Amino acid sequence: MKTPIIECHRLEKWYSGVHALKNVSLTVNRGEAVGLVGDNGAGKSTLIKILSGVHEPDAGSIRIEGRDVRIRNPRQAMELGLETIYQYNSMVPTMTIARNVFIGREPLTWSLFGFGWMDKKKMDRESVQAIADVDLHLRSPEALVGELSGGQRQGVAIARAMHFKSKVLILDEPTNHLSVKETDKVIGFVRDLKKQNVTGIFISHNMQHVFQCCDRIVAMARGEIVFDRPVGETSIDEVHGYL
Amino acid sequence: MKRLLKIYMERPELVALVVLVALVGYFTIRSNGLFLSYQNLRGILSLFPELAIMALGFGLLMIAGEFDLSIGSMFGLAPIVLCSLTTAGMPFWIAFALALAVCLLVGFLNGSISLTFGIPSFITTLGMLFILRSLCVVIYQSGAAPALPSDAPTWAFTDPIGFIRVSTLWMIGLAVLIYLLLERTNFGNWARATGGALESAKSMGIPTHRVKIVCFMICSLCAGLAGIIQVVRIASPLPSLGDGVELQAIAAAVIGGIALSGGVGNVLGAIVGMAIIRVIDSGMVMSRVDANWFKFAIGLLIMIAVIANMWLARRARAIKVETGA
């Protein structure tokens, strides 16, 4: 059997007196699309923040591709191949698409101690290619992200993750505040992840969206995982019963 | 054509440039050509580069999403440190390097205190404004009165070259450097992201604290250097030097299209903004308007500039230009 891409083992997290994660163990296999559902405060965000390096767990261990890891910051998470797309916080609206795609990972023509000259031609060329690869067609790479619609922004964020060959894409409420048409587009992006051999974790409180694009549903409530079953063996009503 | 309009609208510093040219034209006519006389241009180009250097560093910091009210005091303190050291017998260039090191230290403190304790930099640097100004007076009055050595290398800072001074070259050099830093290096990308959307920058793994601290340090450095240049020009350090000039730097940045919220604008805008302020100051004198109206004009201009920039940015977004795809 293949090594799972993510194995969380008995994770615990406290926030000043609140027990946010209680003994959470979760295994995600390569190429799987997992829907993580639950009410506000159920612990979804805490789990995701631990996987994306924003917080560290108080107890428990994480294995990525079979190796024990400690994810201390977002940078390390990205280096491990875990890329998180937040609802609002993944793009800088006042910057161009090309600059956004490469934030923190700029190609440099030369550098000294990690600082150097950006290869703008490469950034323009590759950002256009990356966006085309997710079937998104946008104006020039010089357009500001602030001019894009919500769905297009999510598309650019996904294109960015693809471009950097992320192994796992974590999407935190990517369909919030989107129109129906744009939501369909984002759901399409998630469905296409599998073709690119990328594992997806889709967090949402909208069951319809999750059921449309995931293979497996994991539900959380009060800091614990209360439900974990393949999509084919359950229904929206059943999952609701556990929340 | 539409595309041209959009580029123009998205780059408020270009709008400011048009305003600058219009103002120069207006004051030239009002003063019957006196405004563009050799003498007057020389006058403007003495003070302007000094204040513009300060505005440059401040503009960079504002783009990174922070603020520094202490630059006026830094402007006063750096030359006092320099002159105290030379008065005590230290060679000029070593004292110069130490004075700049003090600037970097102050910038570092401004940044670290604000970020470590989560205080708005507006407040931290307000405190620093008072602290540094107090130090100016204390150092000035302790021991022998600091003076600029008679053999100070004025050739390196303020000697005239035609109607400009060497300080103009410093300004141009620094403007190019900071512009390239912001537009062409990965550090610039990080600074703009940090100012434009702090949470996004953090989630992309950018060391936002360090980026901001470096910007604070560059800002203080520019302010101190500007003060030193001024003292080399007027040949005497005074503890009150630079009192209130921080407000002109802020005004210049805002008029030049740098947004208070961070992430938007261009350091060249700060230079154009400062040029507008200097032109209004001099132009009013040349056209015999009561000089007391100067601050009134600047105040009005700040408000108009902010409103116009916001309106232009909205219009530009509405025009949505198609460029193939």
Side-chain angles (χ1 to χ4, degrees):
Chain A
M1 197 183 131
K2 267 180 143 182
T3 329
I5 189 138
I6 301 177
E7 295 164 272
C8 299
H9 187 62
R10 302 180 73 102
L11 294 178
E12 301 273 347
K13 181 73 188 174
W14 291 82
Y15 289 122
S16 56
V18 179
H19 204 173
L21 281 191
K22 298 175 193 162
N23 195 16
V24 168
S25 297
L26 177 69
T27 302
V28 179
N29 293 308
R30 199 180 291 271
E32 211 175 16
V34 176
L36 186 58
V37 298
D39 228 331
N40 287 338
K44 308 183 301 261
S45 298
T46 306
L47 180 59
I48 289 327
K49 281 182 175 151
I50 287 173
L51 285 176
S52 59
V54 177
H55 293 316
E56 283 201 64
D58 295 320
S61 61
I62 301 171
R63 284 172 164 222
I64 303 293
E65 300 183 295
R67 278 192 310 133
D68 271 310
V69 294
R70 268 190 75 187
I71 310 172
R72 291 189 182 81
N73 53 50
R75 180 104 232 151
Q76 282 187 345
M78 286 191 250
E79 279 159 14
L80 288 165
L82 310 182
E83 181 119 358
T84 308
I85 297 173
Y86 297 96
Q87 188 184 332
Y88 300 111
N89 301 335
S90 50
M91 291 277 145
V92 182
T94 54
M95 287 165 64
T96 64
I97 294 172
R99 278 174 170 244
N100 262 288
V101 166
F102 290 96
I103 290 176
R105 293 181 282 206
E106 297 83 359
L108 303 175
T109 51
W110 58 263
S111 69
L112 197 64
F113 307 117
F115 295 106
W117 210 250
M118 291 192 291
D119 189 343
K120 290 197 90 157
K121 280 201 187 111
K122 189 173 175 188
M123 286 167 67
D124 283 352
R125 197 174 57 234
E126 293 193 354
S127 57
V128 167
Q129 185 59 45
I131 290 163
D133 283 347
V134 296
D135 257 338
L136 195 61
H137 298 282
L138 294 176
R139 294 185 294 278
S140 80
E142 288 297 314
L144 296 180
V145 164
E147 299 171 52
L148 305 179
S149 70
Q152 287 173 326
R153 284 186 214 191
Q154 298 290 12
V156 174
I158 291 169
R160 172 169 70 188
M162 294 303 191
H163 180 75
F164 286 100
K165 309 263 179 274
S166 299
K167 294 167 190 157
V168 181
L169 193 55
I170 302 170
L171 297 114
D172 190 5
E173 301 279 5
T175 55
N176 261 16
H177 308 294
L178 293 189
S179 66
V180 176
K181 208 173 142 199
E182 298 223 307
T183 299
D184 288 345
K185 185 105 193 162
V186 171
I187 288 174
F189 287 140
V190 178
R191 280 204 189 118
D192 288 344
L193 292 180
K194 200 183 290 290
K195 282 186 216 151
Q196 321 237 17
N197 201 22
V198 174
T199 309
I201 301 181
F202 184 164
I203 297 109
S204 181
H205 56 255
N206 188 318
M207 294 289 179
Q208 304 283 355
H209 297 171
V210 175
F211 269 75
Q212 278 178 55
C213 59
C214 295
D215 309 320
R216 181 181 148 203
I217 307 292
V218 174
M220 292 186 74
R222 297 166 296 279
E224 292 173 285
I225 289 180
V226 293
F227 180 89
D228 185 345
R229 216 172 282 173
V231 162
E233 298 170 21
T234 184
S235 67
I236 292 183
D237 284 341
E238 189 189 5
V239 179
H240 263 303
Y242 283 90
L243 298 179
Chain B
M1 188 60 213
K2 255 183 163 183
R3 182 167 166 74
L4 205 68
L5 191 63
K6 184 177 138 85
I7 291 172
Y8 178 73
M9 283 175 162
E10 271 180 356
R11 305 205 59 168
E13 73 269 18
L14 295 181
V15 183
L17 198 62
V18 172
V19 172
L20 176 64
V21 172
L23 280 172
V24 169
Y26 173 75
F27 284 124
T28 306
I29 295 166
R30 275 291 302 262
S31 65
N32 296 322
L34 268 180
F35 181 82
L36 280 184
S37 67
Y38 184 82
Q39 283 304 326
N40 192 49
L41 284 182
R42 254 191 85 165
I44 294 176
L45 288 169
S46 292
L47 182 57
F48 163 64
E50 296 157 9
L51 297 181
I53 287 172
M54 185 172 63
L56 265 174
F58 180 75
L60 172 69
L61 182 64
M62 220 159 100
I63 289 169
E66 293 289 340
F67 208 78
D68 189 350
L69 278 175
S70 70
I71 46 176
S73 301
M74 193 73 254
F75 187 95
L77 183 64
I80 286 186
V81 170
L82 169 73
C83 293
S84 300
L85 293 172
T86 53
T87 306
M90 189 179 279
F92 181 89
W93 289 109
I94 298 177
F96 177 69
L98 283 176
L100 294 186
V102 169
C103 299
L104 290 175
L105 176 71
V106 170
F108 179 78
L109 288 176
N110 276 336
S112 323
I113 294 171
S114 305
L115 298 168
T116 310
F117 298 103
I119 321 168
S121 50
F122 188 85
I123 302 298
T124 316
T125 57
L126 178 65
M128 196 56 89
L129 179 155
F130 288 115
I131 292 172
L132 297 184
R133 186 57 70 189
S134 170
L135 286 176
C136 284
V137 181
V138 171
I139 297 175
Y140 189 78
Q141 290 179 343
S142 68
L148 191 76
S150 51
D151 60 347
T154 53
W155 57 268
F157 295 103
T158 54
D159 278 356
I161 312 170
F163 64 92
I164 67 164
R165 287 172 183 268
V166 179
S167 53
T168 303
L169 304 181
W170 277 91
M171 175 190 81
I172 294 170
L174 283 168
V176 170
L177 270 180
I178 295 181
Y179 178 83
L180 292 177
L181 176 75
L182 201 55
E183 302 302 323
R184 284 313 178 103
T185 70
N186 56 348
F187 179 84
N189 215 31
W190 301 356
R192 210 176 266 283
T194 301
L198 185 62
E199 291 307 316
S200 302
K202 278 185 190 161
S203 76
M204 292 310 295
I206 289 171
T208 54
H209 274 34
R210 266 180 273 167
V211 168
K212 283 185 174 182
I213 287 176
V214 170
C215 292
F216 270 109
M217 291 168 77
I218 295 174
C219 176
S220 286
L221 187 74
C222 286
L225 177 66
I228 290 171
I229 292 174
Q230 179 155 94
V231 164
V232 172
R233 178 170 60 88
I234 63 179
S236 69
L238 288 170
S240 60
L241 202 73
D243 205 3
V245 292
E246 63 277 351
L247 300 178
Q248 285 200 27
I250 297 166
V254 172
I255 291 169
I258 300 176
L260 265 174
S261 50
V264 178
N266 185 307
V267 286
L268 301 184
I271 290 199
V272 178
M274 188 54 86
I276 289 178
I277 294 175
R278 297 324 316 158
V279 163
I280 291 177
D281 191 4
S282 165
M284 287 173 91
V285 175
M286 285 291 136
S287 43
R288 300 194 184 154
V289 180
D290 181 354
N292 290 315
W293 285 100
F294 169 59
K295 286 185 179 170
F296 184 95
I298 299 302
L300 201 62
L301 193 58
I302 290 174
M303 291 189 217
I304 294 172
V306 172
I307 295 167
N309 286 345
M310 281 172 58
W311 182 79
L312 284 175
R314 259 205 304 274
R315 288 283 304 160
R317 215 148 291 177
I319 295 177
K320 294 219 172 171
V321 186
E322 301 292 336
T323 56

